Amino acid sequence: MPQHTSTRKSPNTAGAADGEVRPPDIDSDVTNDVNADTEPAPGDATAIPTDAGDETESGAETLVETPDEAPAEATSETGSEAAEPESAENTDAADADAGTDADGSEDPDSEAVVAEAAEEATADSGAEADASGSPVGSPVTDAEADADAPGVTPDPETPASDSTPRPTRPGPRTWSSRLGLRRRLRSWREKHPVAARVASWTVTVLAAAVVYVCLLMPTTLNSLKPTEFMRLPAEAIMGAAVLMSLPRRPRIVLAAFSGALTAVVAILNMLDMGFNEYLGRGFNVVLDWSLFADARGYLVDTLGGTVTSAVTVGVILFVLLLIVLVALATVRLSNLLAAHKAGASRGALIAGTVWITCTAFGLQVADVPLAADHTAAILKLRTVAIRNTLRDEAEFKKVAKVDAFGNTPGSQLVPDLRGKDMIFTFIESYGRSAIEDPIMAPGVDETLAADTKALSKAGFAAKSGWLTSATYGGSSWLGHSTTMSGLWVNNQQRYRTVMASDHLSLTDAFKKTGDFDTVGVMPGVQKGWPEQSFYGLDKVYNAFQLGYKGPKFSWSTMPDQYALEQFQKQVHSKPRTDGKSLMSMIILTSSHQPWAPIPKLVPWDQLGNGSIFDAIEKAGNKASDVIADTTKSRQEYGKSIQYSVNSLTQWLERYGNDNTVLVFLGDHQPIARVSGNHASRDVPISIVAKDPKVLAKIDSWNWTDGLRPAHDAPVWKMSAFRDKFLTAYGSTPHPKTN
C-alpha cells in the first residue's frame, strides 16, 4: 500500500546543537522501541526521524505515515468513530447506498454521487473538529498541528501564527442531523434488504399511479369511470423521453415543475367537475375565483360554520399536498428512468409506437380512445378560454354602450302600463325541469293547474312562455341582470361591466317615466347592495329590514310567504302620496338549494314576526340528508317550487287588484344533479293581470294561456325579453350608440 509523506518543521531542532537531532518526546513504549533501534511495525503512524544529512535548511524532517491506522492518542482526541475505519462490508454498503437512488437502482450521475460523498465526508470531519473545540474549516498551521499532536512539545521560540485569518462557517448541526438520518436509513436497509426493496418499489408504483391519474383526470363527474383511466397518455411518453436525456440538475428541476403543473391541471379539472355539476359549465380561471366566497357562505348556511371551516382547511391541505406529492413523484420517476436509460429508451419507443398505432386505427375501449393527449388538450382549451375571456371583456364594453332605448324620453317609455302596479318576481331555480321532469313535474304541474283555476276565479288571466337563461344551476344575479338589462350577462366580468354602466334596465325604465315609485324586496341580500343604483330602485328592503324573527331555512333567510306578506304591509298596501303607481322587483329564495328544510304555508293572518315557522323548520329534513341523495333532492326541489308558486299566487289572490300586473319567472335551472346532465337552460315566464288589455298587448307572442307553458311554446333568449316587453307596451326606440 503506498505511503503518504509529509514534511513539517521539527519543534526540537531549535534547541539542539548543530547537527544534532533530538528525538521527540513520545510515550514510553514508542521511546523504548526507538532506543532499541527497532523498526516500527507496518501500519504504525510513528514519526521516523531521518538522518541529519537529509534535513532541510529549516530543520524540517520527513515523517512517514501509513493511512491504515491512527495512534491511540489520536483516537481519544477525535473520537472512536473517526479513528476506527469502516469494515470492507460497511464501506461497500455505504458506497452502494451513496451511488443509488431511493428505488435501489444505480444513479447514473457518478460524478454527482462522488461530489456528494466528498461533501458528506467534509461535513463529518468538520463536525468532529467542532466537537473537539476547533473552529470548523479553520486552516491549521504546522506549529499548531505539532502542538496538538500527542507527546510533542511546541518550540517556545516559535511564535504562534496570527497572520492567517480563520474563516468560519455555520455549525454542523444541520449536516449532522442529515447524515445521522442517512446512516440510520442505510443501517435499516442493510438489516432488512427485502423489506427495503419492497418499500422502494411500492413507493415507485404509487408515484407512477398518482402521475397517471392526474394526467387523465376528467372534467365532468359523468366521465369519472374506469375506462377513462385505461388510456395511454402521450404526455407521459414525451415527458419520459425528455427527462431521461437531461443532466441531473436540469432533469430534477424540469421534473418538479412538470409534476406541479400536472397537479394544478388536475385540480382545475376537479373544479370543472364541480362547476359542471352545479353551474352547467366549466371553471373560468380568470373570472370564477370570486365565487368561492359565495360557495363558502352557502356551506355555512347549509352545514354550519364548524363543518365549513373543516371543509375549507381540508380542501386547502389537499391542494397543497397534491401539488407537492405529484412533483416529488415525477422527480422519483425521472431518476428511475435516468438510472435505466437503455431500458427506458426502449420502453418509450415501444409506448410511442403503440400510441401512434392506436391513433391511426382509432382503437377504443367502451367508446373511449386508447390513445390520449388529455392534459395537452386541456391546457390548449384553457389557454383559448383565457384569451377569449380577456377579449370578451373589451368587446362586451362596446356592446353595453349600444342600447335601443338608451335615449328614449321617459314620456315614451311603457305608456300602456301607466297607472298599473307592476311587480317583477324571480322564483329561485324555477326551470323547465320542474314542469317536464318525470319526478318533479307531476306535483308542480298539479300546482300550476290548481293555481291557474284559483286565479281565474279571482278574475286574473295568465299567459306563459319560455326564456333561455344566461346561467345554470346558480349565480342567480346573472339571470336577474340579463332579464332586466336586455344584455347577455353570462359571466361575472360582464355582470360587473353592466352594473357599472348606464345601460337602461327594465326597472329603471319605469322610474325614468316619473310616474312610478320603484321598490326592491330582497330577502336574500344580507350586505350592501350597490346594484340598487343600476336597477333604479328608490328603496330596497333587505333581509334585515323585513322584521323576520323566525328560523332560517338553510340558505333562505325567510319563507317566501313571509317576505310577500311584509311586501304587502310595508309597500303594496301603502297609498302613494304623490299619486304615482308602484313598480316592484321581488326576488324569492325558498326554492334555493339544498331544498331542506322546506317551509309550509300557514294562515296569512298568523304570520306575525315569523316565529310560527320554528316548529316547521325543526320538523323538516336536514340539508345534509338531502344533498347526499339525488332522488330525494329532486323530490324536495319539486316541493320547494310548489311552495314558492303557491305563496306568490295566493298573495295575488289575496291582495291583487284591477291594476296589478305580475310578471314572474325563474332565474335558472336547478343544478345538473337535479335537472339532468343534458337539461336545457330554459325557464318558464308568466304574465298575470286582471285587465284584459294588458294580455292583449302580447297576443302576437303566441304564449300559452295559463301558468304552465306548453312544451312547444316560443323560446327566446332571456336577453331578448326587455326590448320585446318595452315594445309591446308602447315604448318608442331611440338608440344610444356610445
Side-chain angles (χ1 to χ4, degrees), residues 56-376:
T56 61
E57 292 182 1
S58 61
E61 64 180 353
T62 302
L63 300 181
V64 181
E65 296 178 351
T66 60
D68 297 331
E69 295 180 3
E73 292 80 353
T75 301
S76 64
E77 288 286 329
T78 60
S80 60
E81 182 180 354
E84 293 180 12
E86 293 182 353
S87 65
E89 180 181 352
N90 290 341
T91 302
D92 293 341
D95 292 342
D97 184 79
T100 58
D101 286 321
D103 56 10
S105 60
E106 183 180 356
D107 192 325
D109 304 306
S110 56
E111 293 182 3
V113 173
V114 172
E116 184 178 355
E119 190 176 20
E120 292 179 10
T122 303
D124 276 336
S125 61
E128 292 157 1
D130 186 70
S132 63
S134 299
V136 178
S138 301
V140 182
T141 63
D142 291 341
E144 291 167 346
D146 290 342
D148 290 337
V152 178
T153 303
D155 185 354
E157 296 184 8
T158 302
S161 176
D162 295 328
S163 60
T164 304
R166 297 190 175 190
T168 61
R169 74 177 201 179
R173 185 182 303 274
T174 302
W175 278 107
S176 298
S177 301
R178 179 179 175 185
L179 293 170
L181 177 61
R182 289 190 175 186
R183 290 193 184 100
R184 287 193 293 271
L185 289 175
R186 183 184 307 160
S187 175
W188 183 84
R189 290 172 183 168
E190 292 173 357
K191 293 179 180 178
H192 309 281
V194 175
R197 184 167 294 276
V198 170
S200 177
W201 279 107
T202 299
V203 173
T204 301
V205 170
L206 290 176
V210 168
V211 174
Y212 180 82
V213 169
C214 287
L215 286 173
L216 295 175
M217 183 66 64
T219 58
T220 63
L221 285 176
N222 190 44
S223 299
L224 194 61
K225 49 190 177 183
T227 52
E228 279 292 321
F229 300 98
M230 296 173 61
R231 311 169 71 190
L232 184 61
E235 300 84 1
I237 301 172
M238 293 185 292
V242 172
L243 290 174
M244 75 175 72
S245 64
L246 293 177
R248 182 175 183 272
R249 285 181 180 272
R251 184 184 75 243
I252 292 177
V253 171
L254 180 60
F257 173 78
S258 300
L261 179 62
T262 300
V264 170
V265 173
I267 291 168
L268 293 177
N269 291 349
M270 295 176 196
L271 286 174
D272 278 344
M273 290 184 196
F275 272 68
N276 281 313
E277 181 75 2
Y278 282 86
L279 303 180
R281 62 175 178 82
F283 177 75
N284 189 310
V285 296
V286 178
L287 303 177
D288 287 341
W289 299 103
S290 62
L291 298 182
F292 288 115
D294 297 302
R296 191 177 188 281
Y298 164 73
L299 290 177
V300 169
D301 293 328
T302 303
L303 303 177
T306 302
V307 175
T308 300
S309 297
V311 170
T312 302
V313 172
V315 169
I316 293 174
L317 291 178
F318 171 77
V319 169
L320 296 177
L321 184 62
L322 184 63
I323 293 174
V324 172
L325 284 179
V326 178
L328 293 176
T330 309
V331 170
R332 182 181 183 88
L333 295 175
S334 72
N335 288 338
L336 183 63
L337 292 171
H340 304 280
K341 187 176 295 184
S345 299
R346 289 192 297 271
L349 179 61
I350 294 172
T353 303
V354 172
W355 192 91
I356 294 173
T357 302
C358 292
T359 302
F361 290 96
L363 300 181
Q364 298 181 347
V365 174
D367 296 328
V368 177
L370 286 176
D373 57 351
H374 180 71
T375 299

Side-chain angles (χ1 to χ4, degrees), residues 386-419:
I386 291 172
R387 184 177 67 246
N388 291 342
T389 298
L390 298 177
R391 183 182 300 168
D392 176 76
E393 179 180 353
E395 293 177 352
F396 185 72
K397 287 181 179 179
K398 299 177 183 178
V399 173
K401 293 180 180 179
V402 178
D403 190 347
F405 293 90
N407 288 327
T408 300
S411 60
Q412 298 180 23
L413 289 170
V414 291
D416 296 338
L417 291 174
R418 303 298 172 86

Side-chain angles (χ1 to χ4, degrees), residues 438-462:
I439 295 179
M440 291 96 72
V444 174
D445 287 349
E446 182 179 344
T447 296
L448 293 174
D451 288 348
T452 298
K453 290 181 180 179
L455 288 174
S456 179
K457 289 181 179 179
F460 289 93

Side-chain angles (χ1 to χ4, degrees), residues 26 28-42 44 46-49:
I26 56 179
S28 60
D29 291 337
V30 178
T31 303
N32 291 336
D33 289 342
V34 173
N35 291 337
D37 196 27
T38 59
E39 292 293 331
D44 285 349
T46 306
I48 306 175

